[in-house]
Amino acid sequence: MVEYLLVFLGAAIPWFEIALVIPFGIITGLNPVVVMIVAFIGNMVTILALIIGFDKFEHWFSKKEKKNSKREERARTMWNKYGLPGMVMLGPIFIGSHIAAFIGMLLGATKQATLAWSTISIGVWSLVFGIFTALGFDFFVR
């Protein structure tokens, strides 16, 4: 039971997230289906907290002097090229789901759209990481 709590907590922490936690949980011998579900819930809990608390950050951020950084320009380029769906779907692989959701909302995405696309993205990637790890691990153990 403690192992699944660690999966939940690991998935909730930005940078660990599902891409690392799901394969690690499965390789250590935990039930792949339970690992995928627990990791999905752990990641979604913190995404939901980020979305709910975004207004407070945005209010604080709007008071600061704005400077256009290279990072901001790259984020805008990514946003213009892929939009919210592309950024959030690619987020777990390239920049993390939390950062992708945060940048999306910072660039104007609604909370509802961010939540919907984040749920789809985390669900799809949980399945991909879980299934491929379980199949690959099973293949190499035999």
Side-chain angles (χ1 to χ4, degrees), residues 23-39:
F24 186 74
I26 293 171
I27 289 171
T28 60
L30 299 176
N31 181 312
V33 174
V34 177
V35 167
M36 287 186 286
I37 292 169
V38 169

Side-chain angles (χ1 to χ4, degrees), residues 26-27 131-142:
I26 293 171
I27 289 171
I131 291 169
F132 283 147
T133 302
L135 291 175
F137 187 65
D138 189 47
F139 176 76
F140 286 112
V141 171
R142 287 184 184 189

